Amino acid sequence: MLRCALRSTSRWKCDSFIWTQTSLCYKSRSFAVSSQLGRKSTQGHTLKQARYYCQSGEDVQIKQTAASTETNELPDKAEKAPFYTHLQNCLCPTDVLDMLKQFPASQQHLSSIFSRMWESSKRMTDEQRRCELQLMFEHPVFEEVCERAMTDAWRMRSDDLAYSLLAIFSLGVPQNTRLVQTLLRVMQERLNQFDIRSLSVLASCIREMENSRNVQALTEALRLLLKDRIPEIQSVVVLQSMMRAVGKNSPILLKKQLATKALSLADEFSPPNTQYMFSSLAAVGLNFKPLLDVCSKKIAENVHEFPFGRLLSVLKSCHELHYRNYTLFSSISEYVANTFDMWSNKQVILLLATFENLSFRPVVLLDAFAERIIQRSNSLTLKDLLSVLKIFSLLNHDLKEKKTEFMASVTMVLESYLPKMPPTDLLKAVYYLGLLEHFPRTPLEKLLQKDTLDQLLQKGKQSDKILRWLHTLDLCLRLDKPQLPPSLTSVPDLHITVPAHEVKVNQEVLSAVRSIVGTDAVQDSVLEQSIYFIDCVITLPHQTEETSGLELFSVFYFRIAVFGSPPTSFCFGTTHPRARLAIKLRHLEKLGYKPVLVPVLELNSKTEEETIEMLQKLIFPYIGFVYTVCDMKE
């Protein structure tokens, strides 16, 4: 009676391998099949989860290399045995299994059998693959081959073990079966015998497996082994596979050793290698700037060779790694802008949203997309519209003479969706438009209806973000004073209080300002509207004179708001303020301040004297204006 190689085991059996219990058999083949169809699904009638999916281009490359290595060996073997000749002629997994009825497999054939089944299934359409894999699992010989692989695993060569596991797992055999767990356990004991190519195949496989004791043990063993084997690696693809397999939890020293090795191979990087290196570094969570800079330069120089998906993957890896490169970002945005007609709305929005996450403002691309929206605004879905409003508002993009047309176009689209918009989406849209100082009357009227506000305030009890949106919108309505809808005579009092972010006064700025204008004229740590923090306010008297038969004098106070802003307040590589800073500047002006913005990053590299000199240049235009007027009066 056959051992149940495909039978799912309990967690403790998978990891401890109690061999005395492996003699259990299937009661019926239908039960065996139903337990296999899909790693995540418990239903036996669908095989969607069993299809081969690749998570990245690198996985495709390393797996194709693995499969092609097995396939390329067949002609040589075919000269020695008819088995391989017939195996080559099999066009689907069931052909392979049918062939085994005529030509029984030996231990040396197992790796080639699984690899051929996997290779043939990859060339099919999704529907064909689904049907073929279901037939494969139902085929009586498949169970026998799996049983044979589990029995002979201890005698298989290391490369056969690696290729067999990759093919078996890629065919959809669940990880918690005795077959897969046996292969993992054998590999743990034989890992020192694996060459670099076999290790890379193993690495690409276990990285996609769910975590378990055997997978974790194998991963840890692979990390230890790599410390001594890194100098042997001469293939960029193999190295990247290793990097992705060791993961973020690996020691920082090992990560840097792998990255340093990659840097030494940088001259051999093909265009795809450079993109995969970004995702490989993201997989280990290492921002290795020398290597990223080299890859960025290569991508910027050959940006036209990369398909959209790979460019997007690079940008997402940059965000994950907190890496910024102005040349890289500019080259990608300019390439897309120059070939703008090639890209759909969805592609452009995905790219712009990723740029926004990176705080990068691609001016030319934003202008080109705004022009498309003006010309074809009806092509925007509601999801597209909300994304567009978010991108343009958070980047504080100035469309200049096109702003009126753009606002009219997006407002028209917004109004067309009003009847079916949920309150939260309506709040988002009006909030984003408010950041751009645009307040369309119809959407605003609907938002400020009592029923809508009540729903939002109720949701705001569970969401700080909704409360902040409402609070900011309330400030915009009170300070920007837009024209209200006819049904509203005043702005509703929402009674919203939002705690201000805890910010400490910048002592460098405060000390420098006091040395310029004196202590008495400076007030520090001012909080306006319970949200806008100001490091220090300079208050100066400004005397005016009016003559109407008699000389009359009046005095008012001229207020200068000086505050520092971190680099995150600006669009990357520029001093263009992002949304939060832009609205702060706008509202402080409405409150009667003359805002003076001090980039904090510039202060870090300056001496005290240089800081004072920089602030003098920023503040003096206002102070000079006040005192010049006063001197003229005297």
Side-chain angles (χ1 to χ4, degrees), residues 396 437 475-476 478-481 528-529 532-534 537 556-563 577 580-597 618 622:
N396 184 34
E437 205 172 359
L475 283 174
C476 290
R478 288 191 291 105
L479 299 179
D480 294 325
K481 300 186 186 319
E528 273 288 356
Q529 304 296 310
Y532 299 134
F533 181 83
I534 306 171
V537 175
F556 69 90
Y557 290 95
F558 192 86
R559 296 186 300 173
I560 304 172
V562 183
F563 55 93
R580 184 172 293 181
L581 177 57
I583 200 170
K584 179 178 180 178
L585 292 169
R586 188 173 90 212
H587 285 170
L588 288 179
E589 288 184 348
K590 298 287 176 70
L591 291 166
Y593 291 94
K594 296 296 181 184
V596 172
L597 190 57
L618 293 172
Y622 297 120

Side-chain angles (χ1 to χ4, degrees), residues 82-135:
F83 178 88
Y84 293 102
T85 302
H86 290 282
L87 186 61
Q88 265 188 298
N89 296 328
C90 295
L91 301 179
C92 62
T94 50
D95 282 353
V96 176
L97 296 173
D98 289 338
M99 184 206 74
L100 295 179
K101 295 179 180 178
Q102 300 177 358
F103 299 92
S106 67
Q107 169 199 321
Q108 291 81 8
H109 297 150
L110 292 173
S111 175
S112 299
I113 290 169
F114 287 117
S115 294
R116 185 59 188 168
M117 286 195 288
W118 173 43
E119 180 70 19
S120 63
S121 68
K122 285 165 51 180
R123 299 172 182 173
M124 301 176 183
T125 64
D126 287 350
E127 183 61 24
Q128 287 176 328
R129 189 182 303 114
R130 184 191 70 80
C131 294
E132 277 294 333
L133 290 182
Q134 184 163 352
L135 291 173

Side-chain angles (χ1 to χ4, degrees), residues 38-242:
R39 299 191 185 100
K40 297 180 181 178
S41 173
T42 58
Q43 299 298 322
H45 305 291
T46 176
L47 208 66
K48 291 183 179 179
Q49 297 293 337
R51 288 181 289 176
Y52 168 69
Y53 291 100
C54 62
Q55 298 300 319
S56 71
E58 182 186 353
D59 296 331
V60 173
Q61 192 169 358
I62 189 66
K63 290 180 178 181
Q64 284 178 342
T65 302
S68 62
T69 300
E70 282 290 307
T71 303
N72 291 338
E73 290 177 356
L74 295 184
D76 294 335
K77 295 177 179 179
E79 297 177 0
K80 300 178 181 179
F83 178 88
Y84 293 102
T85 302
H86 290 282
L87 186 61
Q88 265 188 298
N89 296 328
C90 295
L91 301 179
C92 62
T94 50
D95 282 353
V96 176
L97 296 173
D98 289 338
M99 184 206 74
L100 295 179
K101 295 179 180 178
Q102 300 177 358
F103 299 92
S106 67
Q107 169 199 321
Q108 291 81 8
H109 297 150
L110 292 173
S111 175
S112 299
I113 290 169
F114 287 117
S115 294
R116 185 59 188 168
M117 286 195 288
W118 173 43
E119 180 70 19
S120 63
S121 68
K122 285 165 51 180
R123 299 172 182 173
M124 301 176 183
T125 64
D126 287 350
E127 183 61 24
Q128 287 176 328
R129 189 182 303 114
R130 184 191 70 80
C131 294
E132 277 294 333
L133 290 182
Q134 184 163 352
L135 291 173
M136 179 191 75
F137 279 117
E138 293 173 349
H139 201 291
V141 178
F142 183 68
E143 181 182 333
E144 296 175 10
V145 174
C146 291
E147 294 285 353
R148 181 67 180 274
M150 190 180 78
T151 303
D152 291 346
W154 302 92
R155 295 185 292 274
M156 291 172 67
R157 298 182 308 172
S158 58
D159 56 340
D160 286 341
L161 282 170
Y163 289 124
S164 295
L165 178 66
L166 177 62
I168 289 168
F169 185 72
S170 299
L171 284 168
V173 176
Q175 181 181 329
N176 64 343
T177 55
R178 293 188 182 279
L179 170 60
V180 174
Q181 294 297 321
T182 299
L183 292 175
L184 290 173
R185 182 61 179 270
V186 172
M187 289 180 180
Q188 290 178 43
E189 298 189 9
R190 302 258 304 275
L191 198 60
N192 284 328
Q193 302 172 18
F194 279 47
D195 59 19
I196 291 297
R197 172 62 65 179
S198 299
L199 287 174
S200 70
V201 174
L202 172 62
S204 67
C205 186
I206 62 174
R207 188 177 58 82
E208 302 206 14
M209 289 184 164
E210 296 179 3
N211 197 20
S212 68
R213 291 182 186 177
N214 281 329
V215 171
Q216 184 63 32
L218 202 51
T219 302
E220 292 294 335
L222 185 61
R223 290 171 182 168
L224 292 172
L225 188 63
L226 274 180
K227 291 180 180 180
D228 299 324
R229 303 285 291 274
I230 288 176
E232 299 177 26
I233 303 175
Q234 298 302 322
S235 167
V236 177
V237 174
V238 169
L239 180 63
Q240 290 172 334
S241 180
M242 297 295 191

Side-chain angles (χ1 to χ4, degrees), residues 442-455:
T442 304
L444 187 61
E445 183 176 24
K446 182 173 181 180
L447 177 65
L448 297 180
Q449 290 176 354
K450 186 178 185 304
D451 290 346
T452 306
L453 288 176
D454 287 345
Q455 291 182 52

